[in-house]
């Protein structure tokens, strides 16, 4: 699953709070019987034949399924998963016995009790049932979307981690792999897409048809997919596989970039994994609502429409980058996740860390000019910042239940997982690592694994201590802090390295337990072609260049750790800043700011560095500055000193922008274009009157003639028009949102309107989120925009409290368990922290309590930074202005 730009933003700070004291203990390789989970393992499904007749209007989901089961020990009871399902009849072996059905709503199970025990061996279980279609993006759900000929409805599915049980009764845990043969009865004018190709289609009654799909290979339930609607498909064949892009009628042509990308990626992955993609077809399905990211269903990947379709007439050229990245992520899952599946959700990181890493690797492979590692540096930074806190968790974490599994989809799982895999690949070497992956795929195809299976495969090839290094990062939370200092002994320079645990905590917080890691450390002078690497276990001292020479630690920004330099080595590096590669400059700046966040350094240490940056430095370097300045600006929201901070930041960023200007030449798909957009947005937010006036002027021109505003400028210009909107402009933005049938455009206008800083307009936006007019998928995003971009967090919070029940009913449990706590991270004061603690619905579930704990820590850290760092920043700015 991939959500990292949309919904994931709000999921990002959530994770399980686990007490992981004590030493890491290496886990065992996969065994079905030892796999955690709730279902008894005495009965296992082998083959499901499922017939469904979804009611598009009634939202009823009647079905019949015939399951070949294997009874492993005699039993009269079968327990499987079901939610919101009624049972008409349950029988075994051609109605030889009928079962009594008992439901456990809390456990989401149904138990069938037969009069006589079933014997060991194969039996046929027949279940007639009725489930429900949802209006929010869970299980099977409806999406109502606008078209030129009115609102249409389609249905689609999203089942990870544990919602297949909302469609049909099943053993809904990933280790219970089985074959699925699906048949659906649907309106005759619609296209039905499943995991496998259609093998039979026949009319049924006057208006309906029955569509049967080929049986899947053995797979986990969460990878099942069904999408039905007025859809169309474009296709291409590669290596004997038909790749399709499926979209609502009239939109499939916008899937051409996605189709071309998938063709390239399939051939490349076939080679990389050493096992050919095993299904006859792979569809990429654009769904115009329901959920915000993408889901790797085997053979039928679903995407939120704007994450997949690319329209050169409305999208910026640079929009191809995230589209390619998310396709690569989901396609990597077709092997890593779908063909070989983690045994239980405690190893979710294995799926997600790997797919996230592979997406960046594939982008580097096919579009090296995008510099995806360099420009994606922020993903690791985000994980590092969360992982330095008390409420972090090991990437390999205990998951007691399905509801806990949902909160495991966070930035630590995805981004720390990615960083660890990158560090390991770099340590073992690209070819050795790939060979290990090939052996792992071949050995475990159609099966399940634990993390230990992967390390074993890599160790067998690499003959290096993979498990020790990896386990110290997967089984412990926290960030290594490498303390580095150079000294001179005769003519040679010595580099002393030791490690501590890097912690960011409010001053009043108790110390966190110490940790020890096995860390591969790359170091060398700024332009070293191949760095020296040392595997640090405790402390060490090594020769490093000649006396006084700058030595960069974490050379190439590949390692997952922070570095704090001693005074001598820091001074040498600061002098050599311009000689460092952009990767190393970004890493040096990010670590410098992290030391400020941790209370280990003064803000002036970072501010002095940015004074030394050149206006033509790389986008990633300036992005680090923009991100940090943005955080300071948010912390300053109600401070009298804010205008001085904004003026200081504008002066630094204007030097960069003035070099680029509003209108550039070039392909449009380059870093200059992206940096320009980001600077316009930031300068406008920081109150640059000239930029704001020009944005208004260009938007007015756009209304007259859309072609006058290049696609690449539409997002930043519309955003600035949004934050400064008066009511006439606000109405214009909403009018554009209502008129468009292109999802990415609708989002642009809705979010711009939601960013209005005028309080009356913020009220209007909040009221709008209760209507059907705003797509359900973006309601939480719009409320959050009122709080963040609109700078009206109190209005948003009041609104959420007053309308909580109505919003919960429309948005589903994630609104209660995740959104409320994340909304509160727009505050940085104790009073609001107390309000969150007192808000009962946010504490109703274990997931909600985890989220609340994380949000409270975020608020406390922000309050602390505000009190400690902002006065020092003020003093620096005053001194600069003298
Ligand atoms: Zn994923």
């Amino acid at each position: 699953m991939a959500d990292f730009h949309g919904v994931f933003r709000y999921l990002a700070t959530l994770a399980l709070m686990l007490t992981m004291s004590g030493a890491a203990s290496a886990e065992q390789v996969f065994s079905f019987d030892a796999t955690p989970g709730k279902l008894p393992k005495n009965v296992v499904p082998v083959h499901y034949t499922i017939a469904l007749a979804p009611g598009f209007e009634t939202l009823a989901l009647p079905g019949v399924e015939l399951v070949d089961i294997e009874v492993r020990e005699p039993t009269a009871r079968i327990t499987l998963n079901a939610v919101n399902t009624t049972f008409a009849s349950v029988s075994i072996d051609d109605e030889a016995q009928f079962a009594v059905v008992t439901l456990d709503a809390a456990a989401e199970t149904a138990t069938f009790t037969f009069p006589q025990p079933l014997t060991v061996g194969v039996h046929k279980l027949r279940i007639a049932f009725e489930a429900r279609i949802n209006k929010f993006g869970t299980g099977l759900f409806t999406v109502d979307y606008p078209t030129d000929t009115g609102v249409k409805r389609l249905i689609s599915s999203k089942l990870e981690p544990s919602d297949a049980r909302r469609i049909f009764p099943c053993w809904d845990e990933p280790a219970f792999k089985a074959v699925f043969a699906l048949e659906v009865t649907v309106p005759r004018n619609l296209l039905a897409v499943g995991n496998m190709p259609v093998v039979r289609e026949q009319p049924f009654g006057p208006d309906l048809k029955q569509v049967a799909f080929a049986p899947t290979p053995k797979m986990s339930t969460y990878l099942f997919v069904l999408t039905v609607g007025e859809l169309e498909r474009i296709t291409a064949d590669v290596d004997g596989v038909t790749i399709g892009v499926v979209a609502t009628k009239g939109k499939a042509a916008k899937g051409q970039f996605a189709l071309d990308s998938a063709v390239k990626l399939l051939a490349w992955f076939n080679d990389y994994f050493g096992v050919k993609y095993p299904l006859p077809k792979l569809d990429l399905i654009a769904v115009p609502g329901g959920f915000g990211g993408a889901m790797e269903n085997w053979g039928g990947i679903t995407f939120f429409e704007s994450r997949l379709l690319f329209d050169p007439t409305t999208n910026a050229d640079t929009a191809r980058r995230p589209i390619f990245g998310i396709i690569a992520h989901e396609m990597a899952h077709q092997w890593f996740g779908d063909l070989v599946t983690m045994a239980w959700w405690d190893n979710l990181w294995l799926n997600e860390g790997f797919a996230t890493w592979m997406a960046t690797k594939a982008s580097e492979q096919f579009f090296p000019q995008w510099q995806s590692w360099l420009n994606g540096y922020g993903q690791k930074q985000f994980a590092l910042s969360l992982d330095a806190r008390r409420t972090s968790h090991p990437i390999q974490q205990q998951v007691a239940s399905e509801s806990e599994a949902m909160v495991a989809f966070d930035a630590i799982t995805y981004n720390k997982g990615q960083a660890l895999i990158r560090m390991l690949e770099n340590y073992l070497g690209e070819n050795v690592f790939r060979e290990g992956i090939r052996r792992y795929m071949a050995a475990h195809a159609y099966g399940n694994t634990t993390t230990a299976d992967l390390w074993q495969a890599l160790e067998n090839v690499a003959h290096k201590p993979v498990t020790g290094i990896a386990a110290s990062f997967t089984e412990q939370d926290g960030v290594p802090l490498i303390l580095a200092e150079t000294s001179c002994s005769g003519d040679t320079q010595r580099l002393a390295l030791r490690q501590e645990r890097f912690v960011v905590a409010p001053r009043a917080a108790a110390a966190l337990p110490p940790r020890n890691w096995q860390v591969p450390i790359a170091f060398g002078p700024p332009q070293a072609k191949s760095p020296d690497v040392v595997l640090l276990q405790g402390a060490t001292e090594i020769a490093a260049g000649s006396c006084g020479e700058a030595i960069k630690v974490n050379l190439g920004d590949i390692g997952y750790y922070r570095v704090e330099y001693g005074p001598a080595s820091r001074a040498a590096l600061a002098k050599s800043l311009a000689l460092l590669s952009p990767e190393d400059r970004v890493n040096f700046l990010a670590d410098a700011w992290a030391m400020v966040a941790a209370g280990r350094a003064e803000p002036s240490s970072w501010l002095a560095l940015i004074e030394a940056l050149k206006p033509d430095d790389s986008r990633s370097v300036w992005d680090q500055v923009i991100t940090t300045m943005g955080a300071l600006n948010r912390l300053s929201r109600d401070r009298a000193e804010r205008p001085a901070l904004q003026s200081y930041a504008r002066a630094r960023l204007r030097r960069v922008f003035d070099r680029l200007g509003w209108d550039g030449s070039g392909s449009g798909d380059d870093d200059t274009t992206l940096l320009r957009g980001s600077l316009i947005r930031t300068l406008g937010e920081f109150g640059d009157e000239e930029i704001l006036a020009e944005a208004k002027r260009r938007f007015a021109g756009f209304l007259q003639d859309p072609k006058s505003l290049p696609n690449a400028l539409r997002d930043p210009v519309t955003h600035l028009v949004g934050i400064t909107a008066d009511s006439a402009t606000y109405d214009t933005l909403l009018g554009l949102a209502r008129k468009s049938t292109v999802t990415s455009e609708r989002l642009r206008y809705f979010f711009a309107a939601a960013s209005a800083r005028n309080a009356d307009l913020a009220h209007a936006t909040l009221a709008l989120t209760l209507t059907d007019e705003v797509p359900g998928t973006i309601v939480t995003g719009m409320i959050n925009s009122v709080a963040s971009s609109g700078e009206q967090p109190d209005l948003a919070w009041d609104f959420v409290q007053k309308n909580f029940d109505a919003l919960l009913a429309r948005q589903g449990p994630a609104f209660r368990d995740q959104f409320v706590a994340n909304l509160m991270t727009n505050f940085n004061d104790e009073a609001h922290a107390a309000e969150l603690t007192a808000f009962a619905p946010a504490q109703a579930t274990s997931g909600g309590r985890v989220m609340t704990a994380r949000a409270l820590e975020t608020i406390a850290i922000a309050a602390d930074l505000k009190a400690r760092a902002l006065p020092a920043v003020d003093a620096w700015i005053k001194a600069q202005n003298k």
Side-chain angles (χ1 to χ4, degrees), residues 14 70 218 224 249 387 475 656 823 871:
L14 62 89
E70 190 194 330
K218 253 180 93 175
F224 176 95
K249 224 168 219 169
D387 201 15
E475 298 179 15
V656 187
L823 178 68

Side-chain angles (χ1 to χ4, degrees), residues 42-43 69 71 73-78 90-93 95-100 112-120 123-125:
N42 57 347
V43 176
I69 55 170
V71 175
E73 55 196 56
T75 180
R77 289 152 59 88
I78 296 177
V90 176
S91 60
I92 196 92
D93 298 335
E95 306 192 341
Q97 296 192 62
F98 283 85
V100 174
F112 308 147
T113 306
F114 293 96
Q116 302 295 324
L118 309 179
T119 54
V120 170
H123 295 269
K124 280 194 184 304
L125 177 68

